[in-house]
Amino acid sequence: MRRLAHLGPRGTYTEAAAALYDPAAELVPVPTVNEAVAAVERGAADACVCALENSLEGGVRDTLDQLLRDELAVAITAEVVIPIRHVLVGAPGSDPADAPVVYSHPQALAQCRRRLRELVPRAQPVASLSTAAAIESALAEPGALAIGNQRAAELYGARVLQPDLADESDNETRFVVLARADHPATGDDKTSIAFTTQHDRPGSLMEALTLFYKQDINLTRVESRPTRRQLGTYIFLLDMEGHRTDRAVAQALGALGELAEWLRVFGSYPRWRGAG
């Protein structure tokens, strides 16, 4: 039986993604994304599931930080996409109008920012390690509320005060499965990479992206984040259609390796086509 580490405790969206990816797996909840990745690296889990990208708020910083570590020893072997349906919860008898605080994961707080201003204008948003942990915190504090999901509310005995809380209804999160190796080619794959360019040379990013255009490779995600080393320098993150062993992808990555200052291939994996 596969052991799947995930951000816990029970009732998180990451647990739901892990169960969808492998319903037969032994789920291993851990307190942080860092712990989930570490569990795979030290052999305490066969793989871990981590949120990578949300349709409202973009990249998930905790996971990206792990993928960009110098000593990273895992690769992306799969992806899972699930709908996100936030609910506002509290202890039975809670009054949103009087709530002093709303707990949740930073991503959930950001995804519900506008609705929170409307529903609980006096409440201070407070970050938690996960949406499920947020519900536990809220239930332990009189008057406090939390953002989580319906299953977690049922697990912990919270009352749902407002369903469908997100600012936008089409809210989805893409999760990645990290293991010691990526996935063999299937014919319907994606590859994820990160690279840096010579930031002081005009056209260096355009030159890098043109390598994929020349090979007729479709880029499905383009994102940048600071290198944290010098102002104005960035790491570029790309997802593309195709497997790293495909001829076109391999040639583009080979050319990019010669052009880029730094390049990391996070892995190739089957493109998500839905459950079942």
Side-chain angles (χ1 to χ4, degrees):
M1 178 184 295
R2 184 180 358 219
R3 297 166 299 167
L4 273 181
H6 65 85
L7 180 65
R10 293 179 64 204
T12 62
Y13 290 104
T14 312
E15 181 193 52
L20 181 60
Y21 168 66
D22 186 352
E26 175 190 350
L27 301 185
V28 183
V30 294
T32 64
V33 171
N34 183 16
E35 288 289 335
V37 176
V40 180
E41 292 179 324
R42 68 173 182 267
D46 300 302
C48 66
V49 179
C50 304
L52 180 66
E53 178 187 17
N54 176 260
S55 59
L56 273 62
E57 289 297 312
V60 178
R61 180 171 180 170
D62 289 347
T63 301
L64 292 174
D65 285 347
Q66 289 301 305
L67 289 173
L68 294 171
R69 283 192 296 116
D70 290 339
E71 66 277 18
L72 183 72
V74 298
I76 302 176
T77 192
E79 67 175 357
V80 179
V81 179
I82 65 170
I84 303 299
R85 299 292 180 263
H86 292 310
V87 296
L88 182 67
V89 306
S94 298
D95 184 355
D98 296 329
V101 64
V102 176
Y103 292 100
S104 201
H105 187 276
Q107 277 275 327
L109 290 170
Q111 293 163 26
C112 303
R113 188 182 295 114
R114 187 182 71 246
R115 296 296 307 284
L116 288 177
R117 287 198 300 265
E118 297 170 356
L119 296 169
V120 287
R122 300 179 183 176
Q124 177 71 28
V126 176
S128 299
L129 291 175
S130 70
T131 53
I135 293 178
E136 291 185 312
S137 296
L139 293 179
E141 183 177 335
L145 304 180
I147 301 171
N149 59 58
Q150 182 71 41
R151 179 172 181 270
E154 295 170 357
L155 283 173
Y156 298 108
R159 178 189 172 195
V160 174
L161 303 171
Q162 178 66 47
D164 298 325
L165 188 65
D167 290 344
E168 303 293 339
S169 58
D170 295 329
N171 190 9
E172 294 181 315
T173 294
R174 182 165 73 107
F175 295 80
V176 289
V177 182
L178 304 175
R180 300 290 294 188
D182 63 357
H183 200 284
T186 68
D188 188 14
D189 303 297
K190 292 170 67 175
T191 298
S192 296
I193 69 169
F195 67 94
T196 59
T197 64
Q198 299 178 34
H199 72 281
D200 56 352
R201 183 168 66 82
S204 59
L205 176 58
M206 179 63 72
E207 188 176 359
L209 296 178
T210 300
L211 297 174
F212 300 99
Y213 169 75
K214 289 180 177 179
Q215 295 292 341
D216 198 29
I217 296 171
N218 185 37
L219 300 179
T220 60
R221 171 173 168 253
V222 179
E223 184 178 348
S224 66
R225 58 186 280 123
T227 62
R228 298 184 177 179
R229 294 175 182 173
Q230 181 182 349
L231 187 65
T233 62
Y234 295 91
I235 297 171
F236 300 99
L237 302 114
L238 303 183
D239 290 350
M240 68 196 74
E241 293 180 355
H243 195 276
R244 59 179 174 78
T245 61
D246 295 346
R247 181 176 178 274
V249 176
Q251 288 186 349
L253 291 178
L256 181 60
E258 296 178 1
L259 175 68
E261 288 191 326
W262 171 85
L263 169 66
R264 172 172 294 172
V265 179
F266 294 134
S268 296
Y269 46 93
R271 183 163 50 163
W272 177 250
R273 288 298 192 182

